Amino acid sequence: MLRGDSLTITGSDLDLTITTTIVVSGESDGEVVLQGKLTADIIRSLEAGAVTVEAEAHQAHISAGRSKFDVVVIPSEEYPNFTDVDGEQITIDARSFEEGLKQVVRAASHDETRITLTGVLIASEDSGIRMVSTDSYRLAVRDLPSAAAVLGEGDQVLVPSRALNELSRIIRNEEQITLVIGESDIMFETGSVTLRTKLIEEQYPAYRNLIALERSNRLIIDRLSLLDAVKRVRLMVSDSSGTATAVRLNLDADHVELVAENPERGRASESVDATYSGAQLTVAFNPDYLIDGLDATPGEVIFLDTVDEERPALMGPMDDDEFRYVLMPVRVS
Amino acid sequence: MGQSPQRTIVHVDMDAFFASVEILRHPELVGRPVVVGGSGNRGVVAAASYEARFYGVHSAMPSVRARRLCPDAVFLSGDHAHYREVSERVMAIFLTRTPLVEPLSLDEAFLDVSGTRRTFGEPVALATQLREQVLDETGLYCSIGIAQNKFLAKLATSEAKPRASRSGPVRGSGVFHLTPDAQERFLASLPISRIWGVGPATLARLQPLGIDRAGDLLRASPKVLAGAIGEGAAVRLIQLAQGLDDRTVTPDADPKSISQEETFARDLTDRDELHGHLVRQADSVAARLRAHGLRARTVHLKVRYGNFQTLSRSWTSPRPFDGGHEILGAADGLFSRIPIDDGVRLIGLGVSSFDAGDREEQLTLDSMLDGDGVDRELRDRANSAVDEIRQRFGTSIIGPASAPGLHRTQGDQQWGPNAP
């Protein structure tokens, strides 16, 4: 949609709608519905420089340099009319929101049979905002305590992780992001982009006891040393489809030993210096989930608290409690 | 469950399977001698239609010789992938009668139906209906032998087979029941060459002793027999000659995937109705998965529309499963994103990516995530109970309450279109 020199582009699959506004050199106002993928592919393929778009009733002409595309347009009366989301507005720091998204979205489920878990919970918590996601194998929690404006006490919404994945790709060096929470939709506004999505209208499972669980074993370790070591030993247990079997952690007084074994390939082990207090323990994890947690946890030094080889472990940075990652072991016999 | 003394074993053998499948695809070949197999100089016959058999052509014969015997025969190179597909449909029909199905090859299987009398009636009635259903749904004939054990059931099948003639098969009874009463007489006159394990070498050692028939084996001195063919073989042969064979029917060793498909008499556009079929398929696939002692991680959904356009979708879980509940959950998720307005002709559900054992298991937070907890142990126990009930009383005696047509009776078709 062109109004003066302002071009607004909207793309939607009805569940998720993204709108962006850019400054162009406009000749006359109007609107046209183009085939999304085709148009994007055309624009991407063009040589650098100005591109001209002219729209008629049944055709649009896209040209740049010597290239010219006459593309069939979709009648604009067939395009759905998106009204704005009405509801509570919250404006928060975009940088920390983006950081939070990257930390939690990856732990959300891709299992469409468990719709609830494909969402990310955004809830009010201690005068801040909390983001939670889980796929039932691990759970990530991030608090944004410094959020300038907050949700009402007890307010919470469940946002599809797919939409948040898109959002984290869109946010670019913005200062602030505004959330508009409606009855069944949520809208994110940042810079010149708005993204709106349907909410998942399900009750999120209670997760707090996963974090509160009493754990008597604590490993304190340099985050990147452990991350690198896990990535190395993982080579021994990852298969062609990109999935991996378990990596064992032998936890002992002043170090942790990682062991990955595959009967057809061999064995990898690596010892990493650490401080460990608790009972001697061997616990196994899916290395991908472990890597996700180590990636997402901020800070240089982290802790990994365990109960035993079958109950959920807890990971977090030593110097603050903004981020927590709960990880369920793999049972090996 | 212990070894029941009163076992009922059914042996099913498709009639000239590869050749019959080809004739179905090429109706112009009806009535002509058809030979499937390698056509080159070193090719071997894989199957011959009864018209070709009349000329002495049989499987495993060099193709060159077959061509000489029956120069008019149509030689086809064979399409194994297609035969496998047809075979899976046939085996799926067998599985509607009992989970204890042991395929011997694409065209032959043993079924242990000891426990299904209450559901499917007397063995002969079960076999007759099974044979009719296979014919209705695939257009293929089969022959069925019934007896107390595998050895005798396979022999019984030969009695039910068609005979070759110039104009095609002369249909036999199709079903032959070798009853315990008739067993002794039947065996007495059975040529020893038809006993499992008796090849040319054994034959050459026994015939000089005057042993031609199974009955002769029982009259011979065990010591003399042992001297001729070794003690182990002698003991085994005497047992078989007495009609004794205690090998159990064990489902196929380790399949790569397990699936079930259903073609409808009319194209379906009702999601609930299709969901009902998925419920039953998920249950059946899960039961077979457990019968093999396997757990799967991938669920495949296949939908074919009225215009034969086919969609396949799959989803892989990080955690292996063997319950109908989990399979159905994944299938529903996949199904919800497939349009069905054009009418669905076929729906199929399958599983793959098997985890053989309990070597590794990703544990879940489910039991601690309030409200979404699943009592896995309870469900596992229910599944085992269902498996046991089915082994005793037949596959269709029990099933998910949400599956339509649970209480089907004899003659109903579970897996294919009813006659219009």
Side-chain angles (χ1 to χ4, degrees):
Chain A
M1 188 172 69
L2 182 66
R3 294 284 180 269
D5 282 342
S6 163
L7 178 70
T8 302
I9 302 170
T10 301
S12 176
D13 65 2
L14 298 182
D15 283 336
L16 176 62
T17 304
I18 301 175
T19 298
T20 185
T21 301
I22 54 173
V23 176
V24 296
S25 160
E27 205 141 279
S28 60
D29 291 0
E31 53 190 60
V32 64
V33 181
L34 296 170
Q35 302 172 52
K37 185 176 183 310
L38 175 66
T39 308
D41 287 347
I42 290 172
I43 302 293
R44 200 173 296 125
S45 76
L46 293 175
E47 285 174 24
V51 56
T52 306
V53 180
E54 296 165 272
E56 294 171 10
H58 303 293
Q59 270 197 332
H61 312 287
I62 303 172
S63 52
R66 297 184 186 185
S67 315
K68 185 161 193 245
F69 292 84
D70 305 317
V71 298
V72 177
V73 304
I74 298 162
S76 51
E77 58 272 19
E78 283 178 18
Y79 203 72
N81 198 10
F82 298 107
T83 51
D84 270 355
V85 173
D86 245 353
E88 197 180 353
Q89 288 204 8
I90 303 147
T91 299
I92 51 180
D93 177 59
R95 205 66 66 80
S96 56
F97 186 72
E98 181 193 359
E99 186 186 82
L101 281 182
K102 295 209 161 100
Q103 286 170 310
V104 300
V105 168
R106 67 178 105 195
S109 178
H110 302 290
D111 181 355
E112 299 283 348
T113 68
R114 303 181 74 177
I115 289 296
T116 309
L117 301 189
T118 63
V120 172
L121 183 76
I122 299 182
S124 70
E125 180 85 12
D126 293 343
S127 77
I129 283 183
R130 169 172 280 193
M131 291 189 268
V132 186
S133 70
T134 179
D135 59 6
S136 86
Y137 309 114
R138 66 275 180 64
L139 176 131
V141 179
R142 169 69 200 260
D143 286 324
L144 301 174
S146 60
V150 296
L151 291 161
E153 182 68 27
D155 277 357
Q156 57 176 52
V157 289
L158 194 50
V159 184
S161 57
R162 188 173 74 96
L164 295 177
N165 255 324
E166 292 296 331
L167 185 62
S168 67
R169 251 177 268 165
I170 289 167
I171 302 180
R172 264 191 308 239
N173 302 321
E174 307 295 346
E175 294 284 312
Q176 292 191 315
I177 183 163
T178 302
L179 283 60
V180 186
I181 301 168
E183 279 292 298
S184 56
D185 299 78
I186 186 167
M187 188 160 76
F188 300 89
E189 294 177 325
T190 179
S192 57
V193 178
T194 56
L195 177 148
R196 66 179 288 178
T197 177
K198 288 210 159 56
L199 292 169
I200 299 173
E201 295 180 68
E202 300 279 347
Q203 185 65 38
Y204 204 70
Y207 61 89
R208 287 169 203 276
N209 53 352
L210 287 177
I211 298 165
L213 179 70
E214 195 175 312
R215 296 169 171 91
S216 55
N217 306 318
R218 168 160 286 201
L219 177 80
I220 298 172
I221 194 164
D222 181 74
R223 183 175 68 90
L224 291 177
S225 306
L226 182 57
L227 180 58
D228 290 344
V230 176
K231 283 180 176 167
R232 273 190 289 271
V233 299
R234 180 190 183 280
L235 293 173
M236 205 48 101
V237 289
S238 65
D239 69 16
S240 55
S241 71
T243 55
T245 49
V247 166
R248 292 199 303 272
L249 274 59
N250 298 321
L251 302 169
D252 213 338
D254 56 357
H255 71 281
V256 54
E257 190 194 21
L258 307 181
V259 180
E261 242 172 324
N262 177 319
E264 279 154 31
R265 291 193 185 172
R267 180 178 194 272
S269 65
E270 179 160 347
S271 171
V272 184
D273 291 341
T275 310
Y276 181 68
S277 59
Q280 194 181 343
L281 176 70
T282 296
V283 59
F285 296 108
N286 178 324
D288 296 328
Y289 299 161
L290 195 53
I291 288 170
D292 277 352
L294 291 167
D295 252 344
T297 306
E300 270 179 43
V301 181
I302 60 151
F303 67 84
L304 179 70
D305 290 353
T306 48
V307 184
D308 55 25
E309 58 281 285
E310 297 207 347
R311 271 177 284 183
L314 180 73
M315 185 190 294
M318 280 304 283
D319 48 11
D320 71 51
D321 54 4
E322 280 180 0
F323 181 74
R324 289 292 180 268
Y325 189 77
V326 177
L327 176 57
M328 201 62 184
V330 172
R331 183 192 286 146
V332 290
S333 46
Chain B
M1 245 172 296
Q3 188 71 54
S4 148
Q6 293 273 302
R7 288 196 298 154
T8 308
I9 306 299
V10 165
H11 175 255
V12 190
D13 193 7
M14 305 302 292
D15 296 344
F17 182 59
F18 297 168
S20 304
V21 171
E22 289 297 348
I23 292 167
L24 270 185
R25 291 207 290 188
H26 303 285
E28 69 276 13
L29 298 180
V30 171
R32 296 193 58 184
V34 173
V35 176
V36 176
S39 53
N41 280 336
R42 299 200 293 179
V44 174
V45 173
S49 73
Y50 284 90
E51 287 83 350
R53 288 186 195 191
F54 176 74
Y55 294 95
V57 178
H58 57 77
S59 52
M61 168 186 281
S63 299
V64 174
R65 180 162 162 70
R67 214 181 276 275
R68 216 175 305 138
L69 287 171
C70 187
D72 293 339
V74 177
F75 282 78
L76 298 167
S77 57
D79 176 352
H80 213 71
H82 181 61
Y83 306 149
R84 183 169 297 278
E85 200 178 301
V86 176
S87 171
E88 279 173 12
R89 276 160 52 200
V90 172
M91 298 293 168
I93 296 170
F94 299 165
L95 285 162
T96 62
R97 302 306 199 275
T98 170
L100 296 175
V101 174
E102 179 181 337
L104 296 176
S105 61
L106 289 185
D107 61 347
E108 207 183 333
F110 283 118
L111 284 62
D112 185 336
V113 297
S114 308
T116 68
R117 187 163 302 210
R118 209 180 286 192
T119 321
F120 294 111
E122 292 301 311
V124 174
L126 174 143
T128 306
Q129 279 153 9
L130 187 63
R131 190 165 174 270
E132 281 169 9
Q133 190 180 345
V134 171
L135 179 62
D136 275 358
E137 294 185 19
T138 65
L140 297 168
Y141 283 95
C142 60
S143 301
I144 301 182
I146 308 162
Q148 281 184 303
N149 58 46
K150 284 177 155 183
F151 167 61
L152 295 171
K154 190 163 165 121
L155 288 175
T157 302
S158 321
E159 300 303 309
K161 277 281 175 193
R163 308 277 168 238
S165 81
R166 185 186 300 276
S167 57
V170 177
R171 295 275 158 219
S173 58
V175 174
F176 184 82
H177 187 186
L178 183 54
T179 59
D181 304 341
Q183 218 165 278
E184 202 176 326
R185 266 189 62 193
F186 180 87
L187 285 171
S189 59
L190 183 80
I192 52 170
S193 60
R194 291 192 44 204
I195 299 179
W196 270 358
V198 178
T202 310
L203 215 53
R205 287 189 189 147
L206 292 178
Q207 276 172 336
L209 303 175
I211 297 171
D212 294 311
R213 313 249 160 207
D216 300 335
L217 280 169
L218 300 182
R219 282 188 292 274
S221 142
K223 274 200 173 151
V224 173
L225 274 183
I229 58 172
E231 193 169 342
V235 169
R236 200 182 60 85
L237 276 194
I238 291 169
Q239 279 191 344
L240 289 175
Q242 291 171 321
L244 300 175
D245 175 17
D246 60 4
R247 288 168 304 164
T248 53
V249 172
T250 33
D252 194 10
D254 55 340
K256 293 263 182 288
S257 67
I258 293 176
S259 61
Q260 187 119 39
E261 290 182 5
E262 206 161 344
T263 304
F264 308 114
R266 59 184 173 82
D267 296 347
L268 301 183
T269 50
D270 180 359
R271 248 177 216 283
D272 291 342
E273 191 175 353
L274 285 162
H275 169 81
H277 291 287
L278 286 179
V279 172
R280 207 169 48 212
Q281 289 180 345
D283 174 63
S284 160
V285 166
R288 284 160 62 195
L289 199 51
R290 294 194 296 269
H292 285 294
L294 294 172
R295 297 189 306 164
R297 288 179 50 217
T298 303
V299 173
H300 306 268
L301 177 71
K302 174 169 160 187
V303 167
R304 179 169 293 153
Y305 298 107
N307 63 5
F308 281 85
Q309 191 206 338
T310 307
L311 287 185
S312 296
R313 297 283 181 268
S314 66
W315 174 77
T316 298
S317 162
R319 188 189 157 88
F321 49 78
D322 65 4
H325 169 80
E326 290 109 315
I327 298 173
L328 181 65
D332 275 341
L334 295 169
F335 184 55
S336 68
R337 276 166 291 142
I338 290 182
I340 60 160
D341 305 339
D342 293 344
V344 173
R345 172 193 164 81
L346 170 150
I347 196 158
L349 191 55
V351 293
S352 65
S353 313
F354 297 137
D355 254 36
D358 292 319
R359 207 170 41 83
E360 274 190 13
E361 183 183 7
Q362 170 68 56
L363 302 171
T364 83
L365 299 165
D366 284 334
S367 64
M368 294 183 74
L369 282 169
D370 175 55
D372 209 42
V374 177
D375 197 340
R376 208 169 286 272
E377 205 172 310
L378 204 64
R379 201 168 269 148
D380 282 352
R381 267 168 35 208
N383 285 337
S384 310
V386 167
D387 293 344
E388 203 162 313
I389 289 166
R390 281 178 171 161
Q391 279 191 17
R392 287 173 61 176
F393 302 113
T395 307
S396 57
I397 196 78
I398 188 169
S402 48
L406 172 61
H407 304 290
R408 284 176 187 249
T409 51
Q410 297 161 18
D412 276 2
Q413 295 186 352
Q414 274 196 295
W415 303 112
N418 286 301

